[in-house]
Structures are given as structure tokens and as C-alpha cells.
PDB file of all heavy atoms in Angstrom:
ATOM      1  N   LEU A  67       0.863  -1.183   0.012  1.00 68.00           N
ATOM      2  CA  LEU A  67      -0.024  -0.029  -0.020  1.00 68.00           C
ATOM      3  C   LEU A  67       0.862   1.303   0.009  1.00 68.00           C
ATOM      4  O   LEU A  67       0.557   2.271  -0.598  1.00 68.00           O
ATOM      5  CB  LEU A  67      -0.933  -0.042   1.230  1.00 68.00           C
ATOM      6  CG  LEU A  67      -2.120  -0.907   1.090  1.00 68.00           C
ATOM      7  CD1 LEU A  67      -2.957  -0.804   2.387  1.00 68.00           C
ATOM      8  CD2 LEU A  67      -3.021  -0.472   0.007  1.00 68.00           C
ATOM      9  N   MET A  68       1.927   1.236   0.747  1.00 72.00           N
ATOM     10  CA  MET A  68       2.690   2.485   0.976  1.00 72.00           C
ATOM     11  C   MET A  68       4.066   2.365   0.109  1.00 72.00           C
ATOM     12  O   MET A  68       5.012   3.175   0.264  1.00 72.00           O
ATOM     13  CB  MET A  68       2.989   2.823   2.302  1.00 72.00           C
ATOM     14  CG  MET A  68       1.775   2.998   3.184  1.00 72.00           C
ATOM     15  SD  MET A  68       0.713   4.337   2.352  1.00 72.00           S
ATOM     16  CE  MET A  68       1.431   5.676   3.089  1.00 72.00           C
ATOM     17  N   GLY A  69       4.245   1.200  -0.576  1.00 72.00           N
ATOM     18  CA  GLY A  69       5.561   0.912  -1.224  1.00 72.00           C
ATOM     19  C   GLY A  69       5.753   1.558  -2.555  1.00 72.00           C
ATOM     20  O   GLY A  69       4.661   2.090  -3.059  1.00 72.00           O
ATOM     21  N   GLY A  70       6.788   1.467  -3.165  1.00 82.00           N
ATOM     22  CA  GLY A  70       7.148   2.095  -4.412  1.00 82.00           C
ATOM     23  C   GLY A  70       6.555   1.203  -5.548  1.00 82.00           C
ATOM     24  O   GLY A  70       6.163   0.121  -5.446  1.00 82.00           O
ATOM     25  N   THR A  71       6.531   1.896  -6.733  1.00 86.00           N
ATOM     26  CA  THR A  71       6.080   1.188  -7.918  1.00 86.00           C
ATOM     27  C   THR A  71       7.255   0.643  -8.681  1.00 86.00           C
ATOM     28  O   THR A  71       8.317   1.226  -8.768  1.00 86.00           O
ATOM     29  CB  THR A  71       5.270   2.246  -8.770  1.00 86.00           C
ATOM     30  OG1 THR A  71       4.181   2.755  -8.024  1.00 86.00           O
ATOM     31  CG2 THR A  71       4.697   1.558 -10.064  1.00 86.00           C
ATOM     32  N   TYR A  72       7.095  -0.483  -9.293  1.00 89.00           N
ATOM     33  CA  TYR A  72       8.021  -1.115 -10.202  1.00 89.00           C
ATOM     34  C   TYR A  72       7.327  -1.853 -11.311  1.00 89.00           C
ATOM     35  O   TYR A  72       6.109  -2.174 -11.302  1.00 89.00           O
ATOM     36  CB  TYR A  72       8.944  -2.000  -9.492  1.00 89.00           C
ATOM     37  CG  TYR A  72       8.445  -3.130  -8.894  1.00 89.00           C
ATOM     38  CD1 TYR A  72       8.458  -4.437  -9.477  1.00 89.00           C
ATOM     39  CD2 TYR A  72       7.868  -3.152  -7.586  1.00 89.00           C
ATOM     40  CE1 TYR A  72       7.841  -5.630  -8.977  1.00 89.00           C
ATOM     41  CE2 TYR A  72       7.257  -4.313  -7.023  1.00 89.00           C
ATOM     42  CZ  TYR A  72       7.292  -5.523  -7.728  1.00 89.00           C
ATOM     43  OH  TYR A  72       6.871  -6.679  -7.198  1.00 89.00           O
ATOM     44  N   ILE A  73       8.055  -2.303 -12.375  1.00 91.00           N
ATOM     45  CA  ILE A  73       7.484  -3.095 -13.419  1.00 91.00           C
ATOM     46  C   ILE A  73       8.065  -4.485 -13.221  1.00 91.00           C
ATOM     47  O   ILE A  73       9.171  -4.734 -13.075  1.00 91.00           O
ATOM     48  CB  ILE A  73       7.961  -2.492 -14.764  1.00 91.00           C
ATOM     49  CG1 ILE A  73       7.364  -1.103 -14.873  1.00 91.00           C
ATOM     50  CG2 ILE A  73       7.452  -3.397 -15.922  1.00 91.00           C
ATOM     51  CD1 ILE A  73       7.741  -0.383 -16.147  1.00 91.00           C
ATOM     52  N   SER A  74       7.106  -5.399 -13.194  1.00 91.00           N
ATOM     53  CA  SER A  74       7.412  -6.858 -12.981  1.00 91.00           C
ATOM     54  C   SER A  74       7.316  -7.555 -14.359  1.00 91.00           C
ATOM     55  O   SER A  74       6.216  -7.486 -14.984  1.00 91.00           O
ATOM     56  CB  SER A  74       6.253  -7.454 -12.059  1.00 91.00           C
ATOM     57  OG  SER A  74       6.594  -8.821 -11.936  1.00 91.00           O
ATOM     58  N   LEU A  75       8.388  -8.060 -14.826  1.00 92.00           N
ATOM     59  CA  LEU A  75       8.367  -8.933 -16.035  1.00 92.00           C
ATOM     60  C   LEU A  75       8.111 -10.324 -15.674  1.00 92.00           C
ATOM     61  O   LEU A  75       8.767 -10.981 -14.749  1.00 92.00           O
ATOM     62  CB  LEU A  75       9.712  -8.875 -16.683  1.00 92.00           C
ATOM     63  CG  LEU A  75      10.031  -7.561 -17.528  1.00 92.00           C
ATOM     64  CD1 LEU A  75      11.401  -7.772 -18.141  1.00 92.00           C
ATOM     65  CD2 LEU A  75       8.981  -7.308 -18.616  1.00 92.00           C
ATOM     66  N   LEU A  76       7.156 -10.974 -16.277  1.00 91.00           N
ATOM     67  CA  LEU A  76       6.770 -12.360 -16.017  1.00 91.00           C
ATOM     68  C   LEU A  76       7.222 -13.191 -17.310  1.00 91.00           C
ATOM     69  O   LEU A  76       6.613 -13.046 -18.263  1.00 91.00           O
ATOM     70  CB  LEU A  76       5.167 -12.504 -15.847  1.00 91.00           C
ATOM     71  CG  LEU A  76       4.685 -11.548 -14.590  1.00 91.00           C
ATOM     72  CD1 LEU A  76       3.153 -11.505 -14.574  1.00 91.00           C
ATOM     73  CD2 LEU A  76       5.190 -12.173 -13.332  1.00 91.00           C
ATOM     74  N   PRO A  77       8.239 -13.961 -17.210  1.00 91.00           N
ATOM     75  CA  PRO A  77       8.786 -14.653 -18.319  1.00 91.00           C
ATOM     76  C   PRO A  77       7.696 -15.625 -18.871  1.00 91.00           C
ATOM     77  O   PRO A  77       7.039 -16.302 -18.209  1.00 91.00           O
ATOM     78  CB  PRO A  77      10.062 -15.420 -17.768  1.00 91.00           C
ATOM     79  CG  PRO A  77      10.460 -14.575 -16.546  1.00 91.00           C
ATOM     80  CD  PRO A  77       9.057 -14.098 -16.060  1.00 91.00           C
ATOM     81  N   GLY A  78       7.680 -15.636 -20.151  1.00 88.00           N
ATOM     82  CA  GLY A  78       6.812 -16.671 -20.913  1.00 88.00           C
ATOM     83  C   GLY A  78       7.529 -17.907 -21.137  1.00 88.00           C
ATOM     84  O   GLY A  78       8.586 -18.213 -20.502  1.00 88.00           O
ATOM     85  N   GLY A  79       7.026 -18.708 -22.095  1.00 89.00           N
ATOM     86  CA  GLY A  79       7.548 -20.075 -22.424  1.00 89.00           C
ATOM     87  C   GLY A  79       8.126 -20.121 -23.814  1.00 89.00           C
ATOM     88  O   GLY A  79       8.580 -21.232 -24.242  1.00 89.00           O
ATOM     89  N   SER A  80       8.269 -19.076 -24.558  1.00 88.00           N
ATOM     90  CA  SER A  80       8.770 -19.082 -25.971  1.00 88.00           C
ATOM     91  C   SER A  80      10.152 -19.414 -26.009  1.00 88.00           C
ATOM     92  O   SER A  80      10.972 -19.123 -25.095  1.00 88.00           O
ATOM     93  CB  SER A  80       8.494 -17.740 -26.599  1.00 88.00           C
ATOM     94  OG  SER A  80       9.010 -17.644 -27.871  1.00 88.00           O
ATOM     95  N   GLU A  81      10.591 -20.127 -27.145  1.00 89.00           N
ATOM     96  CA  GLU A  81      11.944 -20.358 -27.328  1.00 89.00           C
ATOM     97  C   GLU A  81      12.672 -19.154 -28.028  1.00 89.00           C
ATOM     98  O   GLU A  81      13.887 -19.058 -27.941  1.00 89.00           O
ATOM     99  CB  GLU A  81      12.084 -21.505 -28.154  1.00 89.00           C
ATOM    100  CG  GLU A  81      11.401 -22.815 -27.651  1.00 89.00           C
ATOM    101  CD  GLU A  81      12.168 -24.036 -27.634  1.00 89.00           C
ATOM    102  OE1 GLU A  81      13.334 -24.092 -28.246  1.00 89.00           O
ATOM    103  OE2 GLU A  81      11.732 -25.067 -27.054  1.00 89.00           O
ATOM    104  N   THR A  82      11.947 -18.278 -28.549  1.00 88.00           N
ATOM    105  CA  THR A  82      12.522 -17.012 -29.078  1.00 88.00           C
ATOM    106  C   THR A  82      12.618 -15.966 -27.963  1.00 88.00           C
ATOM    107  O   THR A  82      11.764 -15.789 -27.133  1.00 88.00           O
ATOM    108  CB  THR A  82      11.535 -16.434 -30.224  1.00 88.00           C
ATOM    109  OG1 THR A  82      11.116 -17.449 -31.051  1.00 88.00           O
ATOM    110  CG2 THR A  82      12.172 -15.258 -30.799  1.00 88.00           C
ATOM    111  N   MET A  83      13.799 -15.404 -27.805  1.00 90.00           N
ATOM    112  CA  MET A  83      14.093 -14.370 -26.867  1.00 90.00           C
ATOM    113  C   MET A  83      13.940 -13.035 -27.317  1.00 90.00           C
ATOM    114  O   MET A  83      13.952 -12.665 -28.501  1.00 90.00           O
ATOM    115  CB  MET A  83      15.503 -14.569 -26.381  1.00 90.00           C
ATOM    116  CG  MET A  83      15.875 -15.997 -25.787  1.00 90.00           C
ATOM    117  SD  MET A  83      14.722 -16.399 -24.457  1.00 90.00           S
ATOM    118  CE  MET A  83      14.682 -18.124 -24.517  1.00 90.00           C
ATOM    119  N   LEU A  84      13.675 -12.064 -26.316  1.00 87.00           N
ATOM    120  CA  LEU A  84      13.471 -10.608 -26.672  1.00 87.00           C
ATOM    121  C   LEU A  84      14.854 -10.062 -27.231  1.00 87.00           C
ATOM    122  O   LEU A  84      15.939 -10.534 -26.668  1.00 87.00           O
ATOM    123  CB  LEU A  84      13.177  -9.872 -25.473  1.00 87.00           C
ATOM    124  CG  LEU A  84      11.685  -9.917 -24.926  1.00 87.00           C
ATOM    125  CD1 LEU A  84      11.501  -9.165 -23.699  1.00 87.00           C
ATOM    126  CD2 LEU A  84      10.771  -9.270 -26.058  1.00 87.00           C
ATOM    127  N   LYS A  85      14.858  -9.178 -28.193  1.00 87.00           N
ATOM    128  CA  LYS A  85      15.996  -8.657 -28.737  1.00 87.00           C
ATOM    129  C   LYS A  85      15.837  -7.111 -28.626  1.00 87.00           C
ATOM    130  O   LYS A  85      14.787  -6.603 -28.350  1.00 87.00           O
ATOM    131  CB  LYS A  85      16.167  -8.933 -30.248  1.00 87.00           C
ATOM    132  CG  LYS A  85      16.320 -10.433 -30.528  1.00 87.00           C
ATOM    133  CD  LYS A  85      16.449 -10.727 -31.959  1.00 87.00           C
ATOM    134  CE  LYS A  85      15.406 -10.270 -32.875  1.00 87.00           C
ATOM    135  NZ  LYS A  85      14.155 -10.825 -32.868  1.00 87.00           N
ATOM    136  N   ASN A  86      16.886  -6.449 -28.871  1.00 87.00           N
ATOM    137  CA  ASN A  86      16.975  -5.001 -28.760  1.00 87.00           C
ATOM    138  C   ASN A  86      15.840  -4.356 -29.836  1.00 87.00           C
ATOM    139  O   ASN A  86      15.926  -4.757 -30.924  1.00 87.00           O
ATOM    140  CB  ASN A  86      18.351  -4.435 -29.045  1.00 87.00           C
ATOM    141  CG  ASN A  86      18.411  -2.950 -28.676  1.00 87.00           C
ATOM    142  OD1 ASN A  86      17.877  -2.534 -27.708  1.00 87.00           O
ATOM    143  ND2 ASN A  86      19.370  -2.248 -29.347  1.00 87.00           N
ATOM    144  N   GLY A  87      14.979  -3.594 -29.289  1.00 85.00           N
ATOM    145  CA  GLY A  87      13.975  -2.876 -30.111  1.00 85.00           C
ATOM    146  C   GLY A  87      12.649  -3.674 -30.142  1.00 85.00           C
ATOM    147  O   GLY A  87      11.715  -3.297 -30.751  1.00 85.00           O
ATOM    148  N   ASP A  88      12.567  -4.853 -29.422  1.00 88.00           N
ATOM    149  CA  ASP A  88      11.285  -5.696 -29.567  1.00 88.00           C
ATOM    150  C   ASP A  88      10.269  -4.921 -28.680  1.00 88.00           C
ATOM    151  O   ASP A  88      10.505  -4.051 -27.870  1.00 88.00           O
ATOM    152  CB  ASP A  88      11.524  -7.050 -28.989  1.00 88.00           C
ATOM    153  CG  ASP A  88      12.257  -8.003 -30.095  1.00 88.00           C
ATOM    154  OD1 ASP A  88      12.328  -7.557 -31.187  1.00 88.00           O
ATOM    155  OD2 ASP A  88      12.447  -9.080 -29.614  1.00 88.00           O
ATOM    156  N   ILE A  89       8.966  -5.419 -28.803  1.00 87.00           N
ATOM    157  CA  ILE A  89       7.741  -4.903 -28.201  1.00 87.00           C
ATOM    158  C   ILE A  89       7.184  -5.974 -27.323  1.00 87.00           C
ATOM    159  O   ILE A  89       6.970  -6.981 -27.844  1.00 87.00           O
ATOM    160  CB  ILE A  89       6.785  -4.229 -29.275  1.00 87.00           C
ATOM    161  CG1 ILE A  89       7.395  -3.180 -29.945  1.00 87.00           C
ATOM    162  CG2 ILE A  89       5.540  -3.760 -28.455  1.00 87.00           C
ATOM    163  CD1 ILE A  89       6.591  -2.566 -31.102  1.00 87.00           C
ATOM    164  N   ILE A  90       6.924  -5.642 -26.001  1.00 89.00           N
ATOM    165  CA  ILE A  90       6.237  -6.521 -25.209  1.00 89.00           C
ATOM    166  C   ILE A  90       4.701  -6.257 -25.480  1.00 89.00           C
ATOM    167  O   ILE A  90       4.319  -5.181 -25.289  1.00 89.00           O
ATOM    168  CB  ILE A  90       6.675  -6.318 -23.707  1.00 89.00           C
ATOM    169  CG1 ILE A  90       8.118  -6.629 -23.465  1.00 89.00           C
ATOM    170  CG2 ILE A  90       5.758  -7.132 -22.868  1.00 89.00           C
ATOM    171  CD1 ILE A  90       8.658  -6.312 -22.103  1.00 89.00           C
ATOM    172  N   LEU A  91       4.063  -7.299 -25.881  1.00 87.00           N
ATOM    173  CA  LEU A  91       2.619  -7.048 -26.258  1.00 87.00           C
ATOM    174  C   LEU A  91       1.697  -7.349 -25.156  1.00 87.00           C
ATOM    175  O   LEU A  91       0.665  -6.667 -25.080  1.00 87.00           O
ATOM    176  CB  LEU A  91       2.234  -8.149 -27.372  1.00 87.00           C
ATOM    177  CG  LEU A  91       3.007  -7.960 -28.739  1.00 87.00           C
ATOM    178  CD1 LEU A  91       2.745  -9.131 -29.658  1.00 87.00           C
ATOM    179  CD2 LEU A  91       2.836  -6.656 -29.216  1.00 87.00           C
ATOM    180  N   ASP A  92       2.010  -8.115 -24.143  1.00 84.00           N
ATOM    181  CA  ASP A  92       1.170  -8.482 -22.987  1.00 84.00           C
ATOM    182  C   ASP A  92       1.498  -7.578 -21.848  1.00 84.00           C
ATOM    183  O   ASP A  92       2.455  -7.807 -21.196  1.00 84.00           O
ATOM    184  CB  ASP A  92       1.185  -9.889 -22.619  1.00 84.00           C
ATOM    185  CG  ASP A  92       0.181 -10.298 -21.567  1.00 84.00           C
ATOM    186  OD1 ASP A  92      -0.602  -9.498 -21.287  1.00 84.00           O
ATOM    187  OD2 ASP A  92       0.351 -11.256 -21.047  1.00 84.00           O
ATOM    188  N   THR A  93       0.752  -6.533 -21.691  1.00 85.00           N
ATOM    189  CA  THR A  93       1.047  -5.429 -20.574  1.00 85.00           C
ATOM    190  C   THR A  93      -0.194  -5.283 -19.696  1.00 85.00           C
ATOM    191  O   THR A  93      -1.309  -5.401 -20.122  1.00 85.00           O
ATOM    192  CB  THR A  93       1.459  -4.116 -21.166  1.00 85.00           C
ATOM    193  OG1 THR A  93       0.497  -3.602 -21.904  1.00 85.00           O
ATOM    194  CG2 THR A  93       2.798  -4.285 -22.020  1.00 85.00           C
ATOM    195  N   GLN A  94       0.210  -4.951 -18.550  1.00 80.00           N
ATOM    196  CA  GLN A  94      -1.010  -4.529 -17.573  1.00 80.00           C
ATOM    197  C   GLN A  94      -0.598  -3.279 -16.873  1.00 80.00           C
ATOM    198  O   GLN A  94       0.507  -3.147 -16.276  1.00 80.00           O
ATOM    199  CB  GLN A  94      -1.114  -5.680 -16.521  1.00 80.00           C
ATOM    200  CG  GLN A  94      -2.264  -5.326 -15.503  1.00 80.00           C
ATOM    201  CD  GLN A  94      -2.389  -6.529 -14.537  1.00 80.00           C
ATOM    202  OE1 GLN A  94      -1.837  -7.521 -14.662  1.00 80.00           O
ATOM    203  NE2 GLN A  94      -3.120  -6.235 -13.416  1.00 80.00           N
ATOM    204  N   GLY A  95      -1.454  -2.300 -16.845  1.00 76.00           N
ATOM    205  CA  GLY A  95      -1.153  -1.002 -16.340  1.00 76.00           C
ATOM    206  C   GLY A  95      -1.293  -0.948 -14.829  1.00 76.00           C
ATOM    207  O   GLY A  95      -1.602  -1.996 -14.153  1.00 76.00           O
ATOM    208  N   SER A  96      -0.996   0.195 -14.139  1.00 71.00           N
ATOM    209  CA  SER A  96      -1.052   0.243 -12.764  1.00 71.00           C
ATOM    210  C   SER A  96      -2.463   0.424 -12.246  1.00 71.00           C
ATOM    211  O   SER A  96      -3.337   0.980 -12.864  1.00 71.00           O
ATOM    212  CB  SER A  96      -0.202   1.437 -12.272  1.00 71.00           C
ATOM    213  OG  SER A  96      -0.609   2.727 -12.811  1.00 71.00           O
ATOM    214  N   MET A  97      -2.671   0.112 -11.019  1.00 68.00           N
ATOM    215  CA  MET A  97      -3.972   0.237 -10.368  1.00 68.00           C
ATOM    216  C   MET A  97      -3.980   1.616  -9.701  1.00 68.00           C
ATOM    217  O   MET A  97      -2.962   2.098  -9.117  1.00 68.00           O
ATOM    218  CB  MET A  97      -4.136  -0.813  -9.232  1.00 68.00           C
ATOM    219  CG  MET A  97      -4.150  -2.193  -9.708  1.00 68.00           C
ATOM    220  SD  MET A  97      -5.566  -2.618 -10.689  1.00 68.00           S
ATOM    221  CE  MET A  97      -6.707  -2.752  -9.334  1.00 68.00           C
ATOM    222  N   ASP A  98      -5.082   2.322  -9.825  1.00 66.00           N
ATOM    223  CA  ASP A  98      -5.325   3.575  -9.099  1.00 66.00           C
ATOM    224  C   ASP A  98      -5.798   3.312  -7.662  1.00 66.00           C
ATOM    225  O   ASP A  98      -6.931   3.159  -7.303  1.00 66.00           O
ATOM    226  CB  ASP A  98      -6.357   4.416  -9.858  1.00 66.00           C
ATOM    227  CG  ASP A  98      -6.618   5.775  -9.298  1.00 66.00           C
ATOM    228  OD1 ASP A  98      -5.819   6.231  -8.442  1.00 66.00           O
ATOM    229  OD2 ASP A  98      -7.597   6.432  -9.652  1.00 66.00           O
ATOM    230  N   MET A  99      -4.749   3.359  -6.814  1.00 68.00           N
ATOM    231  CA  MET A  99      -5.141   3.001  -5.343  1.00 68.00           C
ATOM    232  C   MET A  99      -5.972   4.032  -4.730  1.00 68.00           C
ATOM    233  O   MET A  99      -6.816   3.678  -3.964  1.00 68.00           O
ATOM    234  CB  MET A  99      -3.624   2.904  -4.571  1.00 68.00           C
ATOM    235  CG  MET A  99      -2.821   1.762  -4.999  1.00 68.00           C
ATOM    236  SD  MET A  99      -3.668   0.120  -4.902  1.00 68.00           S
ATOM    237  CE  MET A  99      -3.522  -0.060  -3.160  1.00 68.00           C
ATOM    238  N   MET A 100      -5.720   5.298  -5.026  1.00 69.00           N
ATOM    239  CA  MET A 100      -6.626   6.355  -4.469  1.00 69.00           C
ATOM    240  C   MET A 100      -8.101   6.099  -4.901  1.00 69.00           C
ATOM    241  O   MET A 100      -9.061   6.295  -4.120  1.00 69.00           O
ATOM    242  CB  MET A 100      -6.087   7.738  -4.803  1.00 69.00           C
ATOM    243  CG  MET A 100      -4.741   8.082  -4.105  1.00 69.00           C
ATOM    244  SD  MET A 100      -4.775   7.824  -2.305  1.00 69.00           S
ATOM    245  CE  MET A 100      -5.821   9.155  -1.747  1.00 69.00           C
ATOM    246  N   GLY A 101      -8.286   5.673  -6.177  1.00 71.00           N
ATOM    247  CA  GLY A 101      -9.596   5.542  -6.648  1.00 71.00           C
ATOM    248  C   GLY A 101     -10.237   4.284  -5.940  1.00 71.00           C
ATOM    249  O   GLY A 101     -11.372   4.343  -5.704  1.00 71.00           O
ATOM    250  N   LEU A 102      -9.438   3.236  -5.714  1.00 70.00           N
ATOM    251  CA  LEU A 102      -9.993   2.090  -4.979  1.00 70.00           C
ATOM    252  C   LEU A 102     -10.341   2.448  -3.520  1.00 70.00           C
ATOM    253  O   LEU A 102     -11.433   2.037  -3.039  1.00 70.00           O
ATOM    254  CB  LEU A 102      -9.005   0.942  -5.095  1.00 70.00           C
ATOM    255  CG  LEU A 102      -8.721   0.265  -6.343  1.00 70.00           C
ATOM    256  CD1 LEU A 102      -7.494  -0.692  -6.336  1.00 70.00           C
ATOM    257  CD2 LEU A 102      -9.935  -0.317  -6.950  1.00 70.00           C
ATOM    258  N   VAL A 103      -9.499   3.235  -2.839  1.00 76.00           N
ATOM    259  CA  VAL A 103      -9.776   3.664  -1.639  1.00 76.00           C
ATOM    260  C   VAL A 103     -11.064   4.469  -1.542  1.00 76.00           C
ATOM    261  O   VAL A 103     -11.961   4.358  -0.613  1.00 76.00           O
ATOM    262  CB  VAL A 103      -8.558   4.318  -0.863  1.00 76.00           C
ATOM    263  CG1 VAL A 103      -8.938   4.995   0.440  1.00 76.00           C
ATOM    264  CG2 VAL A 103      -7.512   3.476  -0.732  1.00 76.00           C
ATOM    265  N   GLY A 104     -11.213   5.454  -2.477  1.00 78.00           N
ATOM    266  CA  GLY A 104     -12.345   6.235  -2.553  1.00 78.00           C
ATOM    267  C   GLY A 104     -13.596   5.527  -2.822  1.00 78.00           C
ATOM    268  O   GLY A 104     -14.764   5.778  -2.180  1.00 78.00           O
ATOM    269  N   GLN A 105     -13.484   4.471  -3.605  1.00 77.00           N
ATOM    270  CA  GLN A 105     -14.645   3.506  -3.885  1.00 77.00           C
ATOM    271  C   GLN A 105     -15.102   2.848  -2.506  1.00 77.00           C
ATOM    272  O   GLN A 105     -16.272   2.703  -2.316  1.00 77.00           O
ATOM    273  CB  GLN A 105     -14.388   2.543  -5.001  1.00 77.00           C
ATOM    274  CG  GLN A 105     -14.391   3.059  -6.290  1.00 77.00           C
ATOM    275  CD  GLN A 105     -14.047   1.946  -7.327  1.00 77.00           C
ATOM    276  OE1 GLN A 105     -13.784   0.854  -7.026  1.00 77.00           O
ATOM    277  NE2 GLN A 105     -14.165   2.464  -8.561  1.00 77.00           N
TER     278      GLN A 105
END
């Protein structure tokens, strides 16, 4: 609740590895904690 924000990478199972310039397609944005508390 009071900690810092970071980006967590969750490794997949592909045999192909990320290279310089690649795009990560599966992303999830941050939660709005103040909005949740307000709700």
C-alpha cells in the first residue's frame, strides 16, 4: 500500500528471446489506489 512502484516482467515459455527494439505485447497498467480507496 505504501511501497514504491516497479515493473514486473513475467517470463513466458517461448523459445524465441527478446532482442533490442522488440515490443512486449502483453502488458498490464497500474492500479489507481486512491480511486480504489475512494470507492
Side-chain angles (χ1 to χ4, degrees):
L67 284 177
M68 302 303 277
T71 302
Y72 66 95
I73 298 176
S74 177
L75 282 181
L76 304 168
S80 175
E81 303 227 353
T82 307
M83 301 301 153
L84 283 174
K85 300 181 303 287
N86 196 31
D88 281 353
I89 298 172
I90 298 174
L91 299 175
D92 186 11
T93 61
Q94 180 180 348
S96 61
M97 298 291 283
D98 181 12
M99 295 302 283
M100 293 306 291
L102 291 174
V103 169
Q105 285 179 355

